[in-house]
Amino acid sequence: MENQLLLVLMSIGKAIQNLIHSAYGVVMVCFTFIFSYFMPIEELVNIMLIIVIADLLFGVWVVIKTKGINHILSSRLRDTGIKLFFYLFFLMISFLIENQLSADSYISTKVIFAFISSVECVSIAASMLIIAPNMPFLKIISFFFQSEIAKKLGI
């Protein structure tokens, strides 16, 4: 029994050694280290990714509904990637600063996340109002979205 356990541990060690000796393995170890460091804010990052992707999908839906499928621009789709990069950058920088200050609550990270999420939710709500203008809840608050709607429609 002990012999089999020792053989299993030796094979795991050999696999780790082989992994580190390749460029792919070194990259994977680095990514694993980075992802494990940012695990305390994993939920915030995942929710932000979902919200940004939802905004992208609703934005594409608005363009298809108002102008047609031929007017989807790759430059506008690229803007989503740039936006996501900067959102993640500021979220992670605030996390790093708070981590160095030994703050376990990550208040500024959560405030930045709340601000980013609210901006994206306003954009999603404006897109939903363009897609389905008769939605009761959105009709009530449509006054607040007029500038966002004008920007989306190019008015």
Side-chain angles (χ1 to χ4, degrees), residues 14 22 40 51-52 54 89-90 92 101 109 117 120 143 155:
K14 185 80 168 162
S22 68
I51 290 173
V52 169
F89 175 77
F90 286 118
M92 290 179 177
L101 296 175
T109 305
S117 297
E120 289 299 310
F143 174 75
I155 299 174

Side-chain angles (χ1 to χ4, degrees), residues 98-115:
E98 278 188 318
N99 206 12
Q100 292 303 313
L101 296 175
S102 298
D104 290 334
S105 61
Y106 307 117
I107 296 295
S108 71
T109 305
K110 292 176 183 175
V111 167
I112 290 172
F113 167 76
F115 179 72

Side-chain angles (χ1 to χ4, degrees), residues 12 19 31 35 44 59 62 72 85 91 118 129 137:
I12 290 173
L19 179 68
F31 275 128
F35 290 143
L44 300 179
V62 165
I72 297 175
F85 169 77
L91 197 67
S118 63
L129 194 56
F137 174 71

Side-chain angles (χ1 to χ4, degrees), residues 28-98:
M28 291 305 294
V29 168
C30 290
F31 275 128
T32 303
F33 174 74
I34 291 169
F35 290 143
S36 66
Y37 189 78
F38 289 107
M39 282 301 287
I41 60 169
E42 175 193 12
E43 294 87 11
L44 300 179
V45 171
N46 289 340
I47 292 170
M48 185 175 18
L49 287 171
I50 290 169
I51 290 173
V52 169
I53 290 171
D55 183 39
L56 171 69
L57 295 176
F58 277 108
V60 169
W61 193 356
V62 165
V63 170
I64 290 172
K65 182 177 182 191
T66 58
K67 298 178 183 175
I69 199 163
N70 296 330
H71 291 279
I72 297 175
L73 301 174
S74 63
S75 62
R76 297 286 294 166
L77 297 176
R78 246 186 320 233
D79 291 346
T80 300
I82 294 168
K83 175 175 63 172
L84 184 61
F85 169 77
F86 280 108
Y87 285 171
L88 289 173
F89 175 77
F90 286 118
L91 197 67
M92 290 179 177
I93 289 296
S94 69
F95 171 76
L96 290 173
I97 291 170
E98 278 188 318

